[in-house]
Amino acid sequence: MKHYIIAKFKDRNDIERFMPDITKLFDRTLALEGVECVDIHKSNSTRENRYSLMIEMTLTPEGLNAFDASDEHRLWKETYGERLESKAIFDCE
């Protein structure tokens, strides 16, 4: 399945500042059972109504459960949650 996290930072400069750390954080999720692939896409648009980042994960249903329960997921939410203006989560086949 595909799991998408689409996020918009309150401060547009945060994406540039934190992209290396976000990449490292999500790369660590590849060690979780059932997490098969992680691709992080940074927006190439400077328009105010655009989102900053899309994290695309390929995982099994068990992998989604492992990710949701992981330290990496907790750290993502604790570190970046307050910095986000909005986010959307989308799952599909």
Side-chain angles (χ1 to χ4, degrees), residues 31-42:
L32 299 171
E33 184 71 32
V35 177
E36 300 167 354
C37 183
V38 175
D39 289 310
I40 300 178
H41 308 276
K42 185 177 74 159

Side-chain angles (χ1 to χ4, degrees), residues 53-71:
L53 173 76
M54 181 175 72
I55 301 162
E56 176 184 0
M57 302 177 79
T58 304
L59 33 68
T60 63
E62 297 79 18
L64 179 59
N65 291 335
F67 171 65
D68 283 346
S70 72
D71 288 339

